[in-house]
Amino acid sequence: MTITTAPKPSLTQRLQGISGEMIKFGVVGLSGVAVNFVVFWICINGLGLASLRSNIAATLIAIATNYLGYRYWLYRDRDAASRKREITLFLLFSGIGMLIETGILGFSVYVLGLTTHPEQLAAKVVGLGAGTVFRFISYRTWVFKALPELTEPEPAVVTEAERLLTTEQPAYVEQRS
């Protein structure tokens, strides 16, 4: 019996394969960004919450909406055998992304002294960009794992297996003379 391995795709082929995924990730992400910014703006202007609290509330709501888009649209063909594991990892990596975003916003407000709403919004954009790169890499690598690709067996192996199945009799069947 021989085992063959398929040649690995080139870097160009891998980048072409990931481009469609990146576009869909961007669509879901942009809808999450819209939710995030609308909630952030309402919290900071309408409710008068501090910028960090507003950011956390907005990001948590966006995380919930993004999960639905990622699970049921972008990564619907990925392994979903363990939803508990998937949701746990999604929340963990989303939380780290939120810390990246909030950390950049907090740094701009409390260290750089950028306290006007437009300045805070700009810092939020920078933080959101950094958090998005982290989330994309972690979601596709650990959260929404790709199903393993099935490889076609060699024709010789299939022929040999079929020959064995048709010529051998099970041990429990009595031979009649």
Side-chain angles (χ1 to χ4, degrees), residues 56-91:
I56 291 170
T59 303
L60 289 174
I61 293 169
I63 286 170
T65 60
N66 282 357
Y67 178 78
L68 297 174
Y70 293 135
R71 165 51 34 219
Y72 297 106
W73 184 56
L74 175 57
Y75 295 119
R76 69 180 174 272
D77 60 337
R78 298 286 178 100
D79 185 17
S82 175
R83 282 292 159 95
K84 184 177 179 182
R85 176 198 150 279
E86 177 183 284
I87 291 172
T88 301
L89 288 175
F90 182 83
L91 292 174

Side-chain angles (χ1 to χ4, degrees), residues 146-165:
L147 292 171
E149 291 185 25
L150 299 176
T151 58
E152 290 291 322
E154 284 188 46
V157 173
V158 172
T159 304
E160 179 66 16
E162 288 173 345
R163 186 190 65 76
L164 288 171
L165 289 172

Side-chain angles (χ1 to χ4, degrees), residues 6-17 149:
K8 291 193 174 199
S10 69
L11 177 61
T12 305
Q13 290 170 326
R14 285 185 285 175
L15 289 176
Q16 288 173 345
E149 291 185 25

Side-chain angles (χ1 to χ4, degrees), residues 125-168:
V125 169
V126 171
L128 189 60
T132 298
V133 170
F134 171 79
R135 288 179 186 113
F136 177 75
I137 292 168
S138 60
Y139 292 167
R140 79 177 312 272
T141 304
W142 295 292
V143 180
F144 301 106
K145 288 184 170 186
L147 292 171
E149 291 185 25
L150 299 176
T151 58
E152 290 291 322
E154 284 188 46
V157 173
V158 172
T159 304
E160 179 66 16
E162 288 173 345
R163 186 190 65 76
L164 288 171
L165 289 172
T166 59
T167 59
E168 291 184 10

Side-chain angles (χ1 to χ4, degrees), residues 101-112:
E101 181 182 332
T102 305
I104 291 172
L105 178 61
F107 179 81
S108 70
V109 171
Y110 297 110
V111 175
L112 300 178

